[in-house]
């Protein structure tokens, strides 16, 4: 199958050199792309700025901002069978990007006006065909399960992978998978490579199920 994966953080530039971002390293997303490739799938990885080695074995699209990621994912989504949204997309961006580098002397106080970025996976869920699988991630610190289940429903996903902030940058992860059909797997602590294989296998199972349904 054709799998589209998003990975890494996004950067939302304030001026020519400063930006808003987060601590995502992209490791889980790259592990997913490698697991999908190794399983024989056709992979496209849309990734934000990361230190990960650029892979040769599958298609990658490098983006910087959430809007660029939205555009790239929107272009690729119609032809994919499954989207696994692992990117830590910035929820907000500065309303405007200042040209040049903002000078310290320019103001004693500064208010940054932020506007919301599109929710990429939710937008794709709204555009999906009945034969496309969507899997999201939820990084939650508190009331984690409730928030993960809420996101699963609100974003209309087939499954959501819950993990904890402590997994950022680590080789291991602890995941719990919640499926839209009510099934649940985990929590499981394992290397990200093993978690990635598990999630790719889940995408295969979900797609097989969708394909077994009668046409609408
Ligand atoms: O709402 P929250 O950011 O916690 O949701 C996480 C899930 O939604 C992840 O799958 C992430 O890749 C996706 N997401 C997105 N676009 C955004 C925010 C999150 O695709 N703007």
């Amino acid at each position: 199958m054709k799998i589209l994966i998003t990975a890494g953080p996004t950067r939302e530039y304030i001026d020519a050199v400063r930006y808003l971002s987060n601590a995502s390293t992209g490791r889980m997303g790259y592990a997913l792309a490698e697991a999908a490739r190794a399983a024989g799938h056709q992979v496209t990885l849309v990734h934000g700025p990361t230190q990960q080695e650029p892979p040769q074995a599958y298609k990658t699209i490098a983006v910087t901002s959430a809007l660029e990621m939205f555009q790239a994912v929107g272009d690729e989504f119609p032809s994919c069978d499954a989207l696994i949204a692992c990117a830590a997309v910035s929820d907000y961006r500065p309303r405007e990007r200042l040209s040049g580098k903002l000078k310290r002397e320019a103001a004693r106080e500064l208010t940054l006006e932020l506007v919301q970025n599109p929710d990429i996976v939710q937008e794709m869920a709204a555009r999906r065909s009945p034969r496309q699988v969507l899997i999201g991630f939820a990084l939650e610190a508190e009331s984690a399960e409730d928030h993960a289940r809420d996101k699963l429903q609100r974003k209309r996903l087939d499954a959501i992978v819950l993990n904890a902030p402590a997994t950022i940058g680590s080789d291991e992860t602890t995941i719990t998978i919640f499926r839209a059909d009510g099934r649940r797997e985990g929590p499981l602590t394992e290397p990200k490579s093993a978690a990635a294989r598990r999630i790719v296998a889940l995408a295969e199972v979900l797609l097989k199920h969708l394909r077994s349904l009668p046409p609408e």
Side-chain angles (χ1 to χ4, degrees):
M1 67 175 149
K2 191 169 171 206
I3 306 192
L4 177 60
I5 296 166
T6 69
T10 64
R11 277 184 195 171
E12 313 300 326
Y13 273 89
I14 297 166
D15 65 13
V17 292
R18 302 179 178 98
Y19 54 79
L20 301 174
S21 193
N22 60 67
S24 168
T25 60
R27 258 165 123 155
M28 190 65 220
Y30 277 74
L32 281 165
E34 177 49 30
R37 185 206 61 78
H41 301 297
Q42 193 186 330
V43 177
T44 301
L45 177 70
V46 178
H47 65 88
T50 74
Q51 302 294 318
Q52 306 294 323
E53 287 289 314
Q56 308 292 321
Y58 52 84
K59 179 176 170 185
T60 57
I61 303 174
V63 298
T64 302
S65 66
L67 287 180
E68 285 171 18
M69 185 173 278
F70 182 44
Q71 178 72 47
V73 171
D75 290 347
E76 295 290 323
F77 183 68
S79 64
C80 81
D81 301 304
L83 167 62
I84 307 180
C86 187
V89 184
S90 297
D91 287 324
Y92 295 91
R93 66 178 183 275
R95 182 178 290 281
E96 49 181 354
R97 178 175 172 170
L98 302 168
S99 62
K101 185 181 168 208
L102 184 69
K103 294 268 185 304
R104 182 180 161 82
E105 305 80 51
R108 270 183 73 87
E109 278 184 28
L110 203 60
T111 304
L112 202 55
E113 211 179 325
L114 302 177
V115 295
Q116 211 166 44
N117 275 323
D119 188 312
I120 300 169
V121 76
Q122 191 167 342
E123 294 281 344
M124 296 308 127
R127 296 179 193 180
R128 79 197 291 180
S129 86
R131 294 285 188 269
Q132 286 179 301
V133 167
L134 275 93
I135 300 177
F137 274 70
L139 188 77
E140 305 289 346
E142 286 152 30
S143 308
E145 290 200 21
D146 289 348
H147 282 132
R149 283 185 206 278
D150 175 60
K151 278 176 198 176
L152 173 68
Q153 275 197 341
R154 185 161 37 87
K155 300 188 188 226
R156 297 175 185 277
L157 307 175
D158 299 296
I160 197 153
V161 180
L162 169 67
N163 55 8
T167 65
I168 290 181
S170 164
D171 274 335
E172 277 208 332
T173 185
T174 300
I175 60 165
T176 309
I177 300 172
F178 298 94
R179 282 167 56 164
D181 63 11
R183 283 188 225 183
R184 167 204 173 125
E185 201 180 338
L188 298 147
T189 300
E190 56 192 355
K192 284 185 175 170
S193 54
R197 286 195 292 275
R198 187 182 299 282
I199 294 161
V200 169
L202 171 69
E204 290 166 358
V205 167
L206 293 173
L207 187 68
K208 200 168 161 196
H209 173 68
L210 286 185
R211 286 181 171 166
S212 72
L213 298 174
E216 283 192 344

